[in-house]
């Protein structure tokens, strides 16, 4: 089972709009073309599909992602408007991956750059985890760990301690995929029953400079995506970059 993660497309209504380091729609088209060649079974986009929060930006994304020859799903990030997204394509909380499950987690907070779950969402996640003991991946927009960039860590998942406390009761959670950070990342959280790996993913457009105190673009890096190959109860994951 091959899962591919895309994230942080930051599209505009204007298809020719420019970002700080490129043209987001053109970059997304190139990344999706590269992803198609990897023959994924499922593709997940972990938020910030839009930059300008317009219906047209989501329509662009839907058109490009629908060229994939596999099921694809999305979730919202801090730049998104979930209502507009749902009008074009709905959300899925649980995605079946044969021997695995993928649960999507909503960390969106209206009008805020940071993420938060709150008691209600944490409770819903716990209920979903209690339903099935298969190996499980979680996917969310905001990172549940510090990534080493001060400005990003300020706008990460605010109630991550509550998340980790809840996950201590669910050893089937093996890894968490996140967006938001516009860079490759791998970290881990040690719990009583073992460790949970946390993976970040390059953006399909601008990349952020790792380890920076303030906002900084990594102009030497390229758009990319992350591959997860699930094999029995094991997995292999890596990042691919795309030449434009």
């Amino acid at each position: 089972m091959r899962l591919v993660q895309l994230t942080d497309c930051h599209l505009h209504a204007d298809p020719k709009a420019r970002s700080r380091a490129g043209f987001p729609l053109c970059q997304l088209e190139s990344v999706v073309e590269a992803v198609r060649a990897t023959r994924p079974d499922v593709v997940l986009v972990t938020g910030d599909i839009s930059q300008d929060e317009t219906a047209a930006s989501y329509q662009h994304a839907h058109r490009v992602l629908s060229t994939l020859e596999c099921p694809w799903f999305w979730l919202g990030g801090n730049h998104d408007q979930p209502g507009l997204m749902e009008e074009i394509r709905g959300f899925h909380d649980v995605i079946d991956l044969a021997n695995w499950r993928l649960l999507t987690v909503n960390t969106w907070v209206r009008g805020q750059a940071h993420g938060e779950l709150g008691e209600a969402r944490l409770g819903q996640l716990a209920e979903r985890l209690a339903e099935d003991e298969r190996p499980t991946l979680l996917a969310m927009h905001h990172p549940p760990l510090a990534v080493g960039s001060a400005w990003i860590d300020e706008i990460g998942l605010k109630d991550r301690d509550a998340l980790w406390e809840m996950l201590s009761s669910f050893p089937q959670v093996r890894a968490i995929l996140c967006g938001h950070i516009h860079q490759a990342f791998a970290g881990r959280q040690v719990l009583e029953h073992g460790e949970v790996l946390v993976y970040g993913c390059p953006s399909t457009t601008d990349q952020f400079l790792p380890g920076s105190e303030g906002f900084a673009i990594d102009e030497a890096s390229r758009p990319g995506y992350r591959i997860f190959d699930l094999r029995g109860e094991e997995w292999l994951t890596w990042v691919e970059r795309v030449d434009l």
Side-chain angles (χ1 to χ4, degrees), residues 30-62:
S30 296
V31 171
V32 167
E33 181 178 0
V35 167
R36 287 182 62 191
T38 71
R39 301 176 64 87
D41 296 294
V42 176
V43 171
L44 176 68
V45 191
T46 51
D48 278 4
I49 286 87
S50 179
Q51 173 66 27
D52 61 4
E53 303 179 9
T54 61
S57 64
Y58 296 116
Q59 290 163 354
H60 293 319
H62 187 275

Side-chain angles (χ1 to χ4, degrees), residues 205-228:
T205 180
D206 297 345
Q207 309 305 304
F208 294 158
L209 186 67
S212 60
E213 287 296 312
F215 177 86
I217 294 292
D218 185 356
E219 296 185 5
S221 196
R222 295 166 291 159
Y225 55 94
R226 180 176 286 279
I227 293 178
F228 276 83

Side-chain angles (χ1 to χ4, degrees), residues 81-228:
Q81 286 295 328
L84 289 178
M85 294 175 69
E86 195 160 19
E87 289 178 5
I88 295 171
R89 187 180 180 90
F91 300 108
H92 289 74
D93 294 339
V94 182
I95 300 167
D96 188 89
L97 300 176
N99 295 329
W100 287 68
R101 297 171 88 210
L102 171 63
L103 305 184
T104 64
V105 184
N106 181 8
T107 61
W108 182 82
V109 181
R110 183 181 299 276
Q112 299 295 326
H114 71 261
E116 193 168 348
L117 289 165
E119 291 185 10
R121 291 176 186 169
L122 277 171
Q124 292 166 359
L125 177 57
E127 289 176 2
R128 292 201 298 268
L129 288 168
E131 295 169 353
D132 196 317
E133 295 183 352
R134 278 181 294 171
T136 301
L137 299 174
L138 304 184
M140 60 188 67
H141 182 66
H142 294 85
L145 288 180
V147 301
S149 291
W151 71 277
I152 295 177
D153 293 338
E154 277 293 311
I155 56 172
L157 186 68
K158 290 295 185 182
D159 53 354
R160 64 191 186 197
D161 290 345
L163 172 66
W164 292 120
E165 181 178 357
M166 185 272 287
L167 291 180
S168 66
S169 299
F170 297 100
Q172 72 265 41
V173 176
R174 307 296 174 81
I176 299 176
L177 295 63
C178 69
H180 195 54
I181 64 175
H182 291 231
Q183 60 191 268
F185 172 80
R188 66 190 65 209
Q189 178 74 20
V190 178
L191 303 176
E192 290 183 6
H193 56 70
E195 62 182 19
V196 178
L197 282 296
V198 177
Y199 297 105
C201 183
S203 166
T204 63
T205 180
D206 297 345
Q207 309 305 304
F208 294 158
L209 186 67
S212 60
E213 287 296 312
F215 177 86
I217 294 292
D218 185 356
E219 296 185 5
S221 196
R222 295 166 291 159
Y225 55 94
R226 180 176 286 279
I227 293 178
F228 276 83

